Each structure stands twice: as structure tokens, then as C-alpha cells.
Amino acid sequence: MKKWLWMICIGILITTTTACGSGGSKDLESKEGKTVVTLSVQQPSSFFQAAEKKFEEKYPDIDLQIQTTDDYEKYQKTTNTALLSGKGPDIFEVSGLPIDDYVNKKLLLNMDDSIEQDKTLNKNDLQMNILELLKLNGGMYAMPFGFSLRAFVGDGDILGNTNIDDKNWTWKEFEEISKKLAEKGTERRYALANDPPDFLLTDIILDRYTEFVDHSAKKAKFDSPLFVGVLQQIKKMYDDKVMTSEPADIGKQLFYSTVLRSPADLINDPHQFFSNPKLLQKPEQKGGPRIIPSSQFAIQANSPVKEEAWKFIAFLLSEDGQSLQDRDGFSLLKSVNEKQLNDIQTQVKNGKYKLRGSGSLKVSVSDEEFTQFRQFINTADNYTDLDGKVISIMGSEAISFFSGQKSAEEVAKLIQNRVKIYLNE
């Protein structure tokens, strides 16, 4: 699998094989007289098995039945068909599905009122900076149970007193700064390494997606001078050896882009590359860290057991649900994230924290860094609902430009035509 596709898989859709109900009549009660709630997930996991067990222990009158399959395309087709006919599962994963269309057709339950009225939830503890960004048409129609954050890290030892306005810098300024920093040492240092130019293109466009795609108007702007300029800027940085797609040893690059999936990743990932890592905002990135929600789930508006279905969503937002070991990503509860950070901070102070995968290597992290980590989580406000197919088209066509087979203008037109056809299908 090419790296640009790998980035899409982790950064946008969490593309996995799934299943769904085939529709038809629904038995509201199990043989034991319990209320049946069906949950369709895109991949069997130990997390949902554990969640099912804990949930049914808390609500013994509900029988949660999890449905799966091994064919992602079949999942999309059968889920869509079932929903449009008013049938299908009570709760289902919406990643990769046309959720905007479902909301417009009033096929999904708006969970705003449920959140406000549910006395089992501590609304003040929820990461509302995340949930507010995920609303559609002003309502909460798809609920994640965790989230990841895209981070950009610099080598603090090399950056030193370099004046970087990372809230406003451009890729051109990044290139100029990187060239100057690379000249400081005796060994060759790359700004970024290990990833091909189409990977960087994907990363940049994900931060600026709405500048190039308007889904509501079914329009794209990939044939614009702006996009052509992005292509040319990236190629220049690779041609000038500011960046390389070749592997670079630790300590041979100035910056590092990564996805952080837990409070522990705030220490483990940056410190694997730099002894003095510095969290930065990526060039030309608007807002704070980019949010990558974990798989999102919706409740079917026509479900005859909406109340019981909501109880499961609320359970997964509770401390019990958010503390399940195999849950993916940062927690949607501030208290859970804070507890994990506090535990790590205490271990660091006591000299007992060891970097993941490093054996006995200990790490030094200042209290100021932990303060920045907390701000990093609680102020994350960069999210756009992305279409993985659009990004896939762009990545696959861009390779012919970076390999020198086609001009930037030719590739931009190809991408524009393919995306336009796709958006209007």
C-alpha cells in the first residue's frame, strides 16, 4: 500500500471491513425478553466486545447485538440501502458513508437533546472543543468515542533561538529556515525525511481541504494556480534536498510530522526523534492541531429503540466506557486525559517513566511541556469533514508530476476532471 493511501486510512476514514443489518423486520425482544439493540461496526474488535459485556452488565434488560462482515463495499451498499428504506441497524458506524445526505434526509437522530438531558453524563467533563467541531447542520448526528491529533514537532536543540512564528509561517518560510538550520551542523540534516512528496501533498491539502473542495456546491479548485503552486513548491523542496523520501537516521532531520493517539504519545513519539522536542504548528495550517475522530457512530432516526440505543452511546461517553483498555485515541472526557497525563508526569518526576520501545531509556520532560500538552489537547480546533475518495484521486494523479512524467498544470487538470466527475455522480 502506498504511503499516501496509508495516510488516508489513518488520518481520515479509518477504512476497515464492516457489516450491517440487511434490513427487514426487527425483533424488538430477545428470547429472554430483553430489548434488542443492534450495533453495526466496520471491524470486529476487542473494544466492542468489552463494551458489550460492560454495557449489558449495567443494563441487564438490553441485549446488544453486534453485526459485522468482511466486505467494506458491501457494508456501504447494504447500509445505504437499509437506511433509505427506513430499516437497518439501530446504531451504525458512519465512516465512509454519505452522512451529509442522511442528515438532510432526516435519517439520523440528532443527539444534542439526549446529551443535554442525560443525567448520567457530566457535560462539563466532555471535550466539547472536539464535539462542537463534529456537528453537522448544528446538530450532533455522529458520535466518536475518541480522537487523534496531527502534530508537527521540531528539534528544539537545533531550533535554539530561531525566530519562528509558527502560527503564521508559510512553506516558503519553512524552506528558508530549514536551509539555514541545515547549514549549522557538520552533518547533512533534512527538514523532513522518510516520506515521498505525494505524502506531503496529502498532509498539506488535508489542512486546507475547504480551499479546494466544496461538497455542498459539488465544486473543486484543483486546476487553480493555488494548487499548481503547492505542487511546484513541494517538488522544489525535494529537488533542492530540503526534504527526502529516503529513510533518515534519528537526529538527521529537523522536523517530524506524526499522529498522536493518546496522552502517552505526547511524550513517546516526539522524544523518539529528539531529546528536546518542540511542538509547533504546521506551515499554513489554520487553527490548532488537526483532529482525526475515531470511528463515528449514528443512531437511526427510525429505530424503534432509540432510547435504548442512546443508552449505549452514553455508556461509551461515561468514565466506564472511556476507560476501556482497547478504546482508540484520546478520551472524550477531560478527566480521563488529565489522569493519564498526571500519572505520566509523576512517573517522569520520579525517574520511572521509560520511553516506549526503548528498553530502559528514561526521559526528561519539564512541567512547562506538560502544560503545553494540556493546551494542545484542550484547544484543538481544526477539523474538516473530508472525502477519502477525493484525496485518493489527488494522491494517485500527483505521482506522475513528482516523477517528472507530467507538468503540474497537466496533473492539476486531471485531478480537477476526475474529482468533478466524482462529486457529481
Side-chain angles (χ1 to χ4, degrees), residues 171-238:
W171 281 104
K172 178 62 178 176
E173 291 170 331
F174 170 85
E175 178 184 7
E176 293 170 352
I177 290 170
S178 297
K179 286 181 177 178
K180 292 178 181 178
L181 291 173
E183 294 170 357
K184 285 186 176 182
T186 56
E187 290 186 287
R188 177 74 191 186
R189 298 281 296 258
Y190 294 98
L192 292 168
N194 302 302
D195 296 315
D198 49 289
F199 183 99
L200 178 61
L201 172 67
T202 298
D203 204 12
I204 290 174
I205 298 304
L206 291 183
D207 289 329
R208 305 169 59 182
Y209 186 79
T210 54
E211 294 182 47
F212 301 101
V213 183
D214 184 343
H215 280 277
S216 60
K218 298 186 181 299
K219 293 182 179 180
K221 298 179 181 178
F222 288 107
D223 57 351
S224 65
L226 179 61
F227 183 72
V228 170
V230 172
L231 288 172
Q232 293 171 335
Q233 173 69 24
I234 293 173
K235 190 172 189 303
K236 183 178 183 298
M237 288 191 287
Y238 278 84

Side-chain angles (χ1 to χ4, degrees), residues 12-14 42 72 75-76 93-97 294-296:
I12 309 174
L13 295 176
I14 311 180
Q42 292 192 9
Y72 179 65
Y75 169 78
Q76 290 182 305
E93 191 168 356
V94 295
S95 302
L97 295 173
S294 301
S295 300
Q296 298 179 70

Side-chain angles (χ1 to χ4, degrees), residues 7 111 127 175-176 192 256 280 284 289 302 331 401 418:
M7 198 283 190
M111 292 179 266
Q127 293 278 179
E175 178 184 7
E176 293 170 352
L192 292 168
Y256 171 58
L280 300 167
E284 300 179 16
N302 291 323
S331 174
F401 166 66
R418 286 189 61 190

Side-chain angles (χ1 to χ4, degrees), residues 12 21 40 46 133 190 195 225 294 305 385 400:
I12 309 174
S40 181
S46 55
L133 289 171
Y190 294 98
D195 296 315
S294 301
V305 291
D385 190 20
S400 61

